[in-house]
Amino acid sequence: MILTSVEKKGLFKKFGKSETNTGSTEGQVAVFTHRIAHLTGHLKTNRKDFVSQRSLQILVGKRKSLLNYLKNKDIERYRAVIKELDLRK
């Protein structure tokens, strides 16, 4: 995975309001989105990598459940995250 600790801190600072707030829903969704983009690029060149394909499906499911939680908890935060990460929902 090409996500260094510096990039991860940057994502949490941007979406989680603090570098140390790694448990925030917005920060977790941002990290999952970055990892999903990386795995998608990997699978475009390695079509038969079924382990990575399964990992991608698991990440998408986790991100979906976090987004559903955020939508039920606070719709404005949900809309802001969707808009900033350019996700279609």
Side-chain angles (χ1 to χ4, degrees):
M1 189 173 85
I2 313 284
L3 186 62
T4 63
S5 62
V6 174
E7 291 173 335
K8 197 180 281 191
K9 284 182 182 180
L11 284 174
F12 282 119
K13 187 173 184 179
K14 183 176 180 183
F15 292 100
K17 313 299 186 258
S18 168
E19 290 180 2
T20 59
N21 190 3
T22 59
S24 68
T25 308
E26 295 94 338
Q28 291 292 320
V29 169
V31 170
F32 285 159
T33 302
H34 187 275
R35 290 177 62 194
I36 287 169
H38 179 273
L39 278 176
T40 302
H42 170 75
L43 286 172
K44 285 182 181 177
T45 57
N46 303 305
R47 289 187 356 214
K48 294 188 176 185
D49 188 356
F50 299 116
V51 175
S52 294
Q53 187 176 11
R54 176 167 160 68
S55 299
L56 176 66
Q57 290 172 344
I58 290 170
L59 279 175
V60 169
K62 285 182 180 182
R63 182 179 71 179
K64 183 178 178 182
S65 66
L66 280 174
L67 285 172
N68 285 337
Y69 166 77
L70 191 59
K71 183 169 60 171
N72 292 334
K73 190 81 168 164
D74 188 0
I75 192 75
E76 294 304 319
R77 284 174 41 200
Y78 168 79
R79 288 180 182 151
V81 167
I82 292 293
K83 187 175 180 181
E84 262 189 83
L85 290 175
D86 196 30
L87 299 174
R88 56 183 187 166
K89 200 63 171 154

